[in-house]
Amino acid sequence: MNYIKDLQEDSMRVLIVEDDKALADGLLRTLKQSGYAVDHAATGELALRACAEEHYDLIVLDISLPGIDGFEVLRTLRKQQQGGSILILTAHDSEADRVRGLDLGADDYVSKPFSLPELEARIRALIRRSQTVRSPRMHFGSLSVDVVGRQARIGETDLDLTPREWGVLEYLMMRAGQVVSKEQMLQALCSWDDSLTHNAIEVYISRLRNKLQTAGIRIRTVRGFGYMFEDPEAKA
Amino acid sequence: MDSRAGSLPKAPADSPHPAEAADQDETDAAGATRAAEPAKAHGPGAKAQGPEAKTQGPEATTHGREAGAPAAPAGRSGLAVLKPSSLRALLTGWLVWPLATLILASAVPTYYLALGAANSAYDSALLDPALAISNHVLVQENAVSIDLPASALDALRIDARDRIFMQVRDPRGQMAPGSAALPAPPEDIPEGGHIFYESRLNGEKIRVAALQVPHPAGPVLIQVAETFVKRDTMVREMLVATLFSELVVAAAAVALLWFGIGRGLAPLDRLRREIAARSPKDLRPLSVEDKPGEVQPMIAALNQLLNRLKAAIEGQQRFIANAAHQLRTPLAGLKTHAELARRQPSSVELRPLLEMIAGETGRTAHLVNQLLALARAEPEGSADSNDAPVNLLDVVSRAAQEWVPRAVARDIDLGFELEDAWTMGEPMLMRELLANLIDNALAYTPAKGTVTVRTLKRGHSAVLEVEDDGPGIAPDERARVFERFYRAQGTVGEGCGLGLAIVSEIAQRHGARVEIDTPANGRGTLVRTSFCTVRPGPAGQDEASEGRSPHTA
């Protein structure tokens, strides 16, 4: 018995560790349609073998596996400094399991049965994060951003952003499709400007909205809470 | 305790009609079995039990009435009424009746003792006049007489309370003048001796002292008798005094016993309070210390029962966890495939079918989640308490992540007005409660609508409010929407009717109050959950939340 390897090269590589055939098949199809190279391992042992041979940008990991369970796989991978993101996908949704998974170094935790669009959004966010490690260029529709060179373009036009606007954009962009609270933004951004206030954030957001308008990017206000940088790739 | 216990239904065994009691016993047992059935069915079948669980309510009530029934016939019989069913009354009763009987019975020997005492006290006084006369008896040829002046004789007859009779008789049987006709002594009197005896004179009881005086002409019999007035008085007084002191002692003993038993039973009452004060989840063994030795075996048996119960609940917990896994994984696969199929280009005929499969699969998955949540929310659902200080603000902040995208997908404006609001709770159940409130609000709010989640501190309450501007819930339906599987009139959403039941279950478990209100603008629904507020536990948490507090913007 071996894990199933996708021969497609040059794509983001995802490993699905799931012993339920039907679910694994559904996930394989979904992620392949999204353009990823997807491998499948049905047991913990096979998952570890696959990780020894390949680098994965993302591992979708079930917890209840025959033999070595998901927590053990997670622990081993993190000990080996395996760099990719790990998303736990499990039927156990107790708070203790969730905390344990995240403590062991998982990046996200989704419980079954999940909504496919939600899972896809989370996978996109995780892939994007690990993507910036390999190649610093991110794309959102016609917006392309070079995170290291701090350059953003809409189509062929360079965007002119102040350092503060850049900081806010980067923070939101890295969490596209997710809700971020103003508090989180303030805490993350105040390292370079201690005088940042709620009102200032609102000002930067409004400026960013104007500048990104032509790229069809939408920064949604979550009333009384914060913002959500809408992921243009998300399917309705 | 005792007076209340006394009014409790009598055990069927107390019934004066054994056959009837047995009948009731049977009915009782049957009722118990019936009531136990749905509870048993809760085991493996567990989750899909909403309606059954609901019918359990009235049935349990019926059973309660059956159990109370045997009290009536037992109560009607006078004997049974006297039968104490409180331990204290029982023990006191066992003391009171024998004690009363003993005291009454002791009156008989006391009477004779008193009589003996009275006789020995007064008899010598009765003999004195006889002795006084004996020196003055004159026996002549034809007559016998007493050589004393009449006044002296009268003086001898004087007594404050009794009448005194005298008789002097010579050997020939002749009486001295002034002699009364006293009955002859019942036995022979030795020469020069005397005897005392009781007799009757004209129907009146008398005590007689008879003295035989030797005389040259033969023995002379001198009899002095008196009525029983002062002797009876003395006997009566002695009897009353003795009985009275005995009664006082007995009453004191009964009173001491009564209070003593009360004191002795106090540990039982403590035990009752200890059990009553427990949270429904607390299945720890009861402490045996500071309980009297007689109660310890009972506590040990109770602890065994608690352990078995705990084991059964843990078994059920494991079963729920397994069922969750077994159901959720295939459902996740089914859901994924349904969604994938829906995304494929398809014919006009196939399209609605695929949509329906995707929709139904989603609803089934939702229902499974809800049922598991409900099982977990029930007090017996989790054996261990994970209660910790929880800031409602944090619970909502975390949930925002999950719910805003869903609200966006439904084109509903989901907003927040958050303040710190600390309470004690189980974080996962709190999340479940909030999820169900938001889910409900989103489900029943039309597109372009507004849903607002609010946390605040009001007096001693940590309040969580979820408000929508949907169609609202009619006031007469507000109580019913918390019932399992109930769906408000005219609702068209996807809900399975468990959301608010879960909310109510979790709230109950946290001692929180849930109420449905109309928002300030007069339109829609506002569900308000009020928890008891607590001071934030660890200082660090406090500061952290203070730092983040101005969430309201």
Side-chain angles (χ1 to χ4, degrees):
Chain A
M1 192 166 155
N2 210 334
Y3 68 93
I4 298 154
K5 191 163 174 176
D6 192 332
L7 296 174
Q8 195 184 341
E9 300 288 339
D10 314 325
S11 314
M12 303 306 288
R13 196 160 270 279
V14 178
L15 175 65
I16 292 168
V17 188
E18 167 64 63
D19 62 327
D20 185 83
K21 275 203 189 104
L23 179 55
D25 176 74
L27 289 173
L28 275 167
R29 284 171 196 269
T30 311
L31 296 179
K32 276 183 178 170
Q33 277 173 16
S34 304
Y36 305 120
V38 194
D39 296 352
H40 171 228
T43 68
E45 283 88 349
L46 292 176
L48 290 176
R49 202 194 301 167
C51 289
E53 293 173 14
E54 274 286 354
H55 168 82
Y56 290 101
D57 299 285
L58 172 71
I59 299 168
V60 177
L61 182 61
D62 184 19
I63 291 298
S64 309
L65 292 168
I68 304 178
D69 79 352
F71 286 130
E72 201 49 50
V73 172
L74 179 58
R75 203 194 323 264
T76 312
L77 290 180
R78 283 311 183 214
K79 216 187 281 168
Q80 293 167 355
Q81 306 282 314
Q82 219 272 4
S85 306
I86 296 178
L87 182 146
I88 291 180
L89 187 62
T90 177
H92 296 273
D93 66 346
S94 79
E95 190 72 17
D97 281 348
R98 184 181 290 257
V99 169
R100 187 171 170 210
L102 296 179
D103 279 353
L104 284 173
D107 298 277
D108 207 347
Y109 191 106
V110 175
S111 43
K112 298 172 187 173
F114 46 84
S115 118
L116 196 56
E118 251 176 69
L119 181 71
E120 288 175 305
R122 290 189 187 214
I123 286 178
R124 261 198 311 280
L126 289 176
I127 292 233
R128 210 173 271 130
R129 218 177 288 168
S130 70
Q131 208 171 7
T132 49
V133 179
R134 263 197 351 195
S135 106
R137 195 157 282 280
M138 295 171 80
H139 298 274
F140 294 95
S142 61
L143 173 72
S144 97
V145 182
D146 178 351
V147 182
V148 174
R150 294 213 151 191
Q151 276 190 324
R153 315 174 76 174
I154 295 175
E156 295 304 311
T157 323
D158 278 348
L159 259 182
D160 188 21
L161 295 172
T162 68
R164 287 175 188 188
E165 285 164 12
W166 182 264
V168 173
L169 175 63
E170 192 185 359
Y171 187 86
L172 289 175
M173 219 165 47
M174 297 297 269
R175 290 157 187 81
Q178 295 180 347
V179 180
V180 292
S181 72
K182 279 186 189 173
E183 314 306 323
Q184 287 172 321
M185 284 175 78
L186 281 174
Q187 274 178 4
L189 300 177
C190 68
S191 55
W192 51 267
D193 189 345
D194 282 328
S195 63
L196 205 58
T197 62
H198 278 234
N199 289 343
I201 294 250
E202 277 169 34
V203 172
Y204 297 134
I205 294 279
S206 127
R207 284 190 200 154
L208 277 176
R209 276 180 181 150
N210 286 333
K211 291 183 182 179
L212 296 173
Q213 210 169 20
T214 50
I217 303 281
R218 198 167 164 200
I219 302 174
R220 187 181 282 269
T221 301
V222 180
R223 184 163 45 91
F225 193 81
Y227 301 96
M228 185 168 83
F229 186 94
E230 280 189 17
D231 188 346
E233 286 170 51
K235 290 176 187 120
Chain B
M1 173 180 166
D2 21 273
S3 59
R4 262 172 291 146
S7 66
L8 281 179
K10 304 286 184 294
D14 278 359
S15 165
H17 315 291
E20 201 182 319
D23 276 354
Q24 282 155 355
D25 227 346
E26 249 173 57
T27 335
D28 214 19
T33 323
R34 245 181 291 126
E37 261 163 34
K40 225 193 291 167
H42 257 289
K47 305 308 103 213
Q49 296 258 335
E52 208 166 334
K54 213 158 58 175
T55 53
Q56 206 183 333
E59 193 159 351
T61 322
T62 324
H63 170 55
R65 245 178 269 132
E66 275 171 2
R76 252 179 262 129
S77 134
L79 193 73
V81 167
L82 288 178
K83 263 194 185 166
S85 54
S86 124
L87 206 54
R88 180 191 249 183
L90 190 74
L91 289 173
T92 312
W94 276 25
L95 182 68
V96 165
W97 298 119
L99 208 56
T101 315
L102 274 177
I103 290 174
L104 283 180
S106 77
V108 178
T110 307
Y111 170 79
Y112 284 106
L113 281 174
L115 193 60
N119 282 342
S120 62
Y122 293 116
D123 277 354
S124 61
L126 186 63
L127 188 60
D128 286 344
L131 290 172
I133 292 169
S134 67
N135 293 329
H136 302 277
V137 176
L138 281 179
V139 184
Q140 288 158 337
E141 275 189 29
N142 289 330
V144 60
S145 63
I146 299 159
D147 180 23
L148 279 175
S151 57
L153 272 177
D154 282 346
L156 288 176
R157 279 201 198 91
I158 286 174
D159 190 280
R161 284 178 289 177
D162 283 299
R163 278 174 296 139
I164 298 195
F165 310 94
M166 290 176 187
Q167 178 192 292
V168 177
R169 199 177 63 168
D170 68 2
R172 295 161 301 182
Q174 282 186 326
M175 305 280 189
S179 288
L182 289 174
E187 56 192 285
D188 287 339
I189 304 165
E191 186 89 359
H194 64 266
I195 58 164
F196 298 101
Y197 62 92
E198 276 168 31
S199 190
R200 288 190 170 275
L201 179 66
N202 305 327
E204 199 173 0
K205 207 166 88 168
I206 48 169
R207 180 77 175 172
V208 188
L211 179 68
Q212 186 92 285
V213 183
H215 198 273
V220 175
L221 178 68
I222 304 172
Q223 284 168 290
V224 182
E226 67 180 5
T227 50
F228 258 81
V229 177
K230 56 178 177 290
R231 290 169 200 256
D232 279 348
T233 307
M234 185 177 172
V235 167
R236 209 181 307 121
E237 277 170 0
M238 283 175 77
L239 254 182
V240 166
T242 313
L243 284 181
F244 179 73
S245 61
E246 277 176 0
L247 279 173
V248 166
V249 169
V254 168
L256 283 176
L257 184 77
W258 181 265
F259 289 111
I261 292 172
R263 289 287 292 274
L265 290 180
L268 277 185
D269 202 43
R270 263 210 310 282
L271 183 67
R272 176 189 64 75
R273 276 200 302 269
E274 199 180 306
I275 295 172
R278 285 200 163 204
S279 88
K281 296 196 307 174
D282 189 356
L283 294 178
R284 282 172 306 147
L286 295 159
S287 76
V288 194
E289 292 153 29
D290 79 325
K291 307 290 188 321
E294 289 86 342
V295 189
Q296 284 184 6
M298 196 180 84
I299 298 176
L302 199 60
N303 282 344
Q304 270 179 15
L305 182 68
L306 285 174
N307 277 335
R308 284 205 299 277
L309 195 60
K310 201 173 170 192
I313 286 168
E314 279 164 3
Q316 202 190 0
Q317 275 298 101
R318 274 196 298 281
F319 173 79
I320 290 172
N322 288 338
H325 184 67
Q326 300 300 333
L327 273 173
R328 288 174 158 199
T329 302
L331 266 174
L334 188 58
K335 232 183 138 186
T336 308
H337 282 283
E339 176 68 21
L340 279 174
R342 199 177 63 85
R343 286 179 189 176
Q344 297 298 318
S346 56
S347 63
V348 184
E349 291 83 15
L350 207 49
R351 183 98 234 141
L353 298 180
L354 292 176
E355 292 284 351
M356 201 173 283
I357 291 173
E360 288 296 311
T361 313
R363 283 179 57 186
T364 310
H366 184 66
L367 180 62
V368 165
N369 275 343
Q370 297 283 74
L371 288 171
L372 290 174
L374 196 55
R376 268 196 302 254
E378 280 169 353
E380 58 274 18
S382 67
D384 304 307
S385 164
N386 298 316
D387 281 7
V390 179
N391 191 348
L392 294 178
L393 178 146
D394 292 336
V395 175
V396 176
S397 298
R398 264 179 231 138
Q401 193 60 257
E402 188 179 346
W403 290 98
V404 169
R406 294 189 197 179
V408 169
R410 287 172 186 260
D411 198 13
I412 291 170
D413 172 20
L414 174 60
F416 300 86
E417 292 170 22
L418 306 179
E419 292 172 24
D420 280 314
W422 286 89
T423 182
M424 286 296 286
E426 206 164 324
M428 187 178 158
L429 290 179
M430 300 291 245
R431 208 177 61 209
E432 200 74 57
L433 179 141
L434 175 69
N436 278 289
L437 287 177
I438 301 182
D439 189 43
N440 225 48
L442 292 183
Y444 295 113
T445 304
K448 308 271 180 226
T450 306
V451 173
T452 303
V453 182
R454 212 171 281 132
T455 63
L456 56 133
K457 231 179 90 181
R458 183 179 294 149
H460 290 291
S461 296
V463 181
L464 172 68
E465 289 182 350
V466 176
E467 177 184 318
D468 66 55
D469 60 357
I473 301 171
D476 55 331
E477 278 198 300
R478 285 180 182 174
R480 296 208 58 199
V481 293
F482 291 106
E483 291 171 14
R484 293 174 184 190
F485 296 104
Y486 182 81
R487 298 185 60 207
Q489 301 274 311
T491 49
V492 285
E494 292 184 342
C496 53
L498 281 178
L500 285 176
I502 293 171
V503 166
S504 138
E505 199 86 44
I506 295 177
Q508 246 177 47
R509 191 177 148 158
H510 285 88
R513 202 177 62 245
V514 188
E515 53 196 334
I516 295 182
D517 211 337
T518 307
N521 65 12
R523 216 160 57 83
T525 309
L526 187 158
V527 185
R528 181 183 299 116
T529 316
S530 309
F531 297 88
C532 282
T533 185
V534 291
R535 289 176 50 77
Q541 268 181 328
D542 193 359
E543 278 161 30
S545 64
E546 293 279 316
R548 283 199 315 272
S549 68
H551 249 289
T552 34

